[in-house]
Amino acid sequence: MPEPVNTTLTAIPGFQVGHWTDPLAQTGCTVVLCPPEGAVASASFIGPSPATREGVLLSPEKKVERVHALLLTGGSAFGLAAATGVVRVLEERGIGHETAFGRVPIVPAAVIYDLGVGNPRVRPGEIEGEAAARAASSAPVERGQVGAGTGATAGKYLGGGVPGGLGSVCLERSGVRVAALAVVNPVGDVLDERGGVLAGPGTGPVAAAFTPGDVENTTLVAVATEHALTKAECRRLADAAQTALARVIHPSHTAWDGDSAFVLSSAALPPADPLLLGALVQEAVCAAVRDAVRLTRQNLE
């Protein structure tokens, strides 16, 4: 039998994905490895409560244009320590930004808050980040309750919530390809293609049910493409990815969310039509979010 077609982020040549998962403690981390020369990258942080590493470096006006990996992780701010393990693997492989005294790997990172789901004392750290980086491959991305999506939940505005997870898709139209990976951990509901509730209680936001600090949330998105982009163009597409979250999550970008979107370009192909590229980014992000909760539900049944 022919191998199934890869319809996840690793369908974009040069990108690899690896997970470290602790199903008992219900946490984990996910690493996206870029091509050895790095990927042009930027990000958008619209959620008011993000926890990130190297986030400022991704602003279009900053000097460094290419990153070598991206870490998405559970463990809240504690989980940012896992980036050190990813850096170690890249340094070992001779990958990084060239400086006078050695190559320095650039690894942005962002976290979700999953401490209230499993064991809050177990968080991804250096060893776990290294394990995820070493596990990275170009095989189809494992999805559902895995990696950074292990302890993710959705629809928490009334308390509790339902499993969220990690999803990934790759879309192609007129020769233009865009892939997205999403870690789905919002306070709001996840909506299906017709606006119906896919995950969550579906009664709308009830802000009086909690006060700031009662719940902590965040949806993380990584978008990858082969088409050449400048750092400023990556930033505009990252903003488009955030707009897509508003289409698929309700309510989105609340005071309790730290939504972060990253765009990575290998620049292996010529630039694509910007309107088509922007549309595909939004479609891919919506599809990846829905993929996460659908795969998680399917695996739990």
Side-chain angles (χ1 to χ4, degrees):
M1 292 180 61
E3 293 186 5
V5 176
N6 186 355
T7 57
T8 66
L9 187 141
T10 50
I12 304 296
F15 291 94
Q16 299 181 325
V17 174
H19 302 301
W20 173 83
T21 302
D22 187 332
L24 296 179
Q26 296 186 56
T27 191
C29 60
T30 296
V31 173
V32 179
L33 295 184
C34 302
E37 65 275 15
V40 179
S42 191
S44 176
F45 306 108
I46 291 183
S49 303
T52 66
R53 175 186 188 271
E54 303 275 33
V56 173
L57 186 69
L58 296 174
S59 298
E61 72 274 11
K62 302 306 179 185
K63 183 178 180 181
V64 173
E65 289 197 350
R66 290 179 179 258
V67 305
H68 304 98
L70 173 65
L71 169 73
L72 306 179
T73 180
S76 190
F78 298 107
L80 291 174
T84 301
V86 183
V87 168
R88 181 184 299 118
V89 172
L90 293 174
E91 181 185 30
E92 175 187 296
R93 297 175 180 177
I95 294 172
H97 177 68
E98 188 71 58
T99 74
F101 298 98
R103 293 183 179 272
V104 179
I106 306 299
V107 182
V111 308
I112 66 167
Y113 186 96
D114 59 1
L115 301 182
V117 179
N119 183 347
R121 296 294 180 181
V122 177
R123 311 130 182 175
E126 291 185 34
I127 294 174
E128 292 75 20
E130 180 177 346
R134 294 195 187 282
S137 76
S138 57
V141 178
E142 185 181 358
R143 296 123 61 216
Q145 285 183 298
V146 65
T150 304
T153 49
K156 291 167 280 189
Y157 50 84
L158 296 182
V162 298
L166 181 148
S168 184
V169 302
C170 183
L171 303 180
E172 181 172 355
R173 188 175 303 158
S174 300
V176 176
R177 283 199 297 184
V178 169
L181 184 152
V183 179
V184 183
N185 189 55
V187 67
D189 297 321
V190 175
L191 307 181
D192 64 20
E193 291 80 356
R194 297 186 177 183
V197 175
L198 194 59
T203 58
V206 184
F210 55 81
T211 57
D214 282 351
V215 290
E216 292 83 0
N217 317 272
T218 285
T219 295
L220 307 177
V221 173
V223 173
T225 184
E226 303 163 84
H227 300 282
L229 296 168
T230 66
K231 199 174 180 185
E233 289 168 337
C234 286
R235 171 57 187 271
R236 287 195 288 272
L237 288 176
D239 287 338
Q242 292 278 18
T243 302
L245 290 181
R247 290 167 49 185
V248 72
I249 295 171
H250 178 73
S252 67
H253 306 107
T254 73
W256 300 273
D257 287 289
D259 302 320
S260 303
F262 301 84
V263 172
L264 310 168
S265 166
S266 67
L269 294 180
D273 176 77
L275 186 60
L276 175 56
L277 200 58
L280 282 176
V281 166
Q282 293 194 338
E283 290 179 25
V285 169
C286 288
V289 170
R290 292 175 180 131
D291 180 65
V293 297
R294 282 175 171 145
L295 258 293
T296 294
R297 178 188 297 172
Q298 177 181 313
N299 292 339
L300 290 174
E301 289 177 350

